[in-house]
Amino acid sequence: MGLIVLARAVHVIAGVTWAGAMFVLAAAILPAAREAGGGAWFGALMRRVGPLSGLSSLLTVLSGAYLFFALHAHDATLAGWVLRVGALAALLAMVVGFTVGRPAGLELARLQQAGEVTPEQRAHIGALGRRVALSVRTTASLMALSVLAMGVFRYVVALA
């Protein structure tokens, strides 16, 4: 039981950190960066947020997988399926972050630190910024679905 309590604590703290970061990025920081034209402050912010969200996503998914297999692996009820949908959404969010957002963000930070940029590089920076924004919005949407599913899965039996 102690391991389950520890896994639950890690899952909740890491999940809140990851989801919260994605929600704030999508709703406030990315629009502000677009208005301000990006720049060094945005690169500095992303160098901190990127590793934080990466680590928190890994901890969330690993602890969630442990909890699922320890507690819900054979749950064929509606609640079990809601939990599976939430888990799948979180897993997809992590994949999007690592395969789309992270590479684009690293390249964007590298180019923004380079100093003087050519018109071609400026166009590439714009494309990378759009890719990062799409990744963040997609991840935030998937996290919203996951958070909702995790929050209500125990109560959907009352709806059936």
Side-chain angles (χ1 to χ4, degrees):
M1 187 53 90
L3 194 53
I4 287 175
V5 171
L6 177 62
R8 178 97 171 150
V10 168
H11 188 67
V12 169
I13 295 297
V16 166
T17 301
W18 181 26
M22 292 302 102
F23 296 157
V24 171
L25 274 171
I29 294 172
L30 286 175
R34 190 176 312 116
E35 284 179 26
W41 73 270
F42 185 67
L45 177 72
M46 293 309 288
R47 281 189 294 282
R48 289 183 182 258
V49 172
L52 174 69
S53 64
L55 178 61
S56 61
S57 71
L58 281 172
L59 290 172
T60 302
V61 168
L62 291 174
S63 60
Y66 171 76
L67 290 167
F68 179 81
F69 289 112
L71 302 173
H72 303 282
H74 302 292
D75 186 352
T77 66
L78 178 59
W81 284 104
V82 169
L83 193 60
R84 284 176 178 83
V85 167
L88 180 61
L91 190 57
L92 288 172
M94 187 176 77
V95 168
V96 168
F98 277 105
T99 63
V100 178
R102 184 175 187 278
L106 290 173
E107 179 69 6
L108 183 60
R110 186 187 67 76
L111 287 172
Q112 286 178 334
Q113 286 179 341
E116 198 71 29
V117 294
T118 66
E120 296 82 22
Q121 288 174 322
R122 188 166 286 116
H124 189 53
I125 287 171
L128 289 169
R130 288 187 294 279
R131 192 175 307 157
V132 167
L134 177 63
S135 172
V136 167
R137 285 193 302 269
T138 302
T139 300
S141 298
L142 289 165
M143 289 307 302
L145 175 61
S146 183
V147 167
L148 181 63
M150 301 296 157
V152 303
F153 84 95
R154 291 189 172 146
Y155 308 103
V156 296
V157 293
L159 301 175

